[in-house]
Amino acid sequence: MIDIKLLREKPDDVRAGFERLGASVDLEAVLLLDARLRDLKSESQTLQAEQNRLSKEIGRQAAGEEREQAKAAGTAVKAKIEALAGALAATEAALEEKLLELPNLPHPSVPTGKDDSQNVVLREEGQKRSFNFAPQPHWDLGTKHGIIDFERGVKISGSRFYVLKSWGARLQRALITYMLDLHTEKHGYTEIYPPYMVKRECLVGTGNLPKFGENLYRDAEEDFWFIPTAEVPVTNLYRDEILEHTALPIRHVAFTACFRREQMAAGRDTRGIKRGHQFDKVELVKFVHPDNSMDELSNLLSDAEDVLKGLELPYRVVQMCTGDLSFSAMAKFDLELWAPGQNEWLEVSSCSNFGEFQARRTRIRFRDGAEKGKNRFVHTLNGSGLALPRTLIGVLETYQRADGRVDVPAVLRPYFGGITILGST
RNA sequence: GGAGAGAUGGCCGAGUGGUCGAAGGCGCACGAUUGGAAAUCGUGUGUACCGAAAGGUACCGAGGGUUCGAAUCCCUCUCUCUCCUCCA
């Protein structure tokens, strides 16, 4: 949620920001509602003050004519307040609704662009492996070894579900443990194991609702929503709290399953395990002081990169242009690893700075040590560190041998009890 | 799932219709005292919105109702605790 004061005081700056996004938003309507709400509020507050004054007076009076008159006056004021109440509540709700649907404003450093074609590849890290044979895509490797069972996944859960088996499942588990160990031991994150189902307000807090409900699964009878990412429960951990500035930055890492409806056109990304309705992810979430959140974003990105560096998987860093920024993000960088079998870059991480956009929606503030009495919103950041299925693809395809067996990356060997080669010829 | 009890400020805890944004204590901050500290004493100490300020408005789990007036009365919901039941 953007700051209504900012819109009120610098409407042209806000308008320019949304134009860079290519978003068409009716700011006039918002400003109109805001002005109307302020009028109604001030009118209502004046009446309430009058009501309070009368009530106190009545309290002091003894029973009698005067007291009855004062009571009658009180009834009249009460009627006026009630007459205003409907319009006040409706205006407040209408403004809230509009504000919740406004996207975040882009950070000045974000390049202007209309869509993903104008994203900027900042750098490529690591050397793509050269093969003296044709590398197989992971779906062939997975089927050959019996470690990815697509047919049975579809049988039990439907399309876009699969089953990992044997050392395929173990490889994924090794990757999860490796990532959690790396972030907790080397990068200073505290591990969180959150619920996978959350209340609606959590999703409003992160920006998934009210606009993107069609991407989410939910329980039909109760207010339970399946998380599309650990970002949702972990960001909401401190909802409605005022933190001490000395507690910042807070760094959390969480492993969870993620659930997404993925109502995209049939036929896209249907092959393999690249995109499913359920997938695992290790997620990094930070709550930081607003003055250095962009530096914190760089650090977060570097923490995510370390996972790929450790695994010795080549990747590239892509900066999102304004047109490809997500709803809640003010700046965003993606990490894409190279999958030699299917011959494409795969997005395995998305690291964003949300500024105070989510903090405002979740009311996460901190007491600023510098300015006494001033409570400010924290900045929230998060990034995948990393998404499991695609990292698994990267390992399978990059570490495959000509005979189809797969080498265990050095950093994963501690999790494999001495095994260094997976599969049989 | 059944029965009962409860939800007040950072924490504990008083408050059953008016002068209560809320006693008291703890904690915390600042000051006094001290060579320094402990102890002691004094002052201060919730959040949001409106206002240049003075000040005003709202909030005592949430929502609704009664009343001129609600932390206090009524209704609904949520959550917590105890006992029983069940269970990984």
Side-chain angles (χ1 to χ4, degrees), chain A residues 206-244:
Chain A
T206 44
N208 302 79
L209 287 175
K211 280 194 89 170
F212 308 102
E214 70 277 8
N215 294 327
L216 302 168
Y217 289 105
R218 66 169 180 277
D219 180 272
E221 282 157 26
E222 310 203 42
D223 185 31
F224 282 137
W225 297 67
F226 289 64
I227 58 171
T229 158
E231 165 193 351
V232 178
V234 177
T235 303
N236 279 277
L237 237 32
Y238 303 104
R239 118 186 322 278
D240 288 314
E241 291 191 32
I242 301 173
L243 307 164
E244 293 302 329

Side-chain angles (χ1 to χ4, degrees), chain A residues 1 77 91 99 107 132 148 221 228 257 277 303 306 328 368 420 424:
Chain A
M1 195 148 68
V77 174
T91 308
L99 285 175
H107 189 270
N132 52 12
I148 308 176
E221 282 157 26
H277 290 308
D303 292 338
D306 280 350
S328 303
D368 194 343
T420 57
S424 51

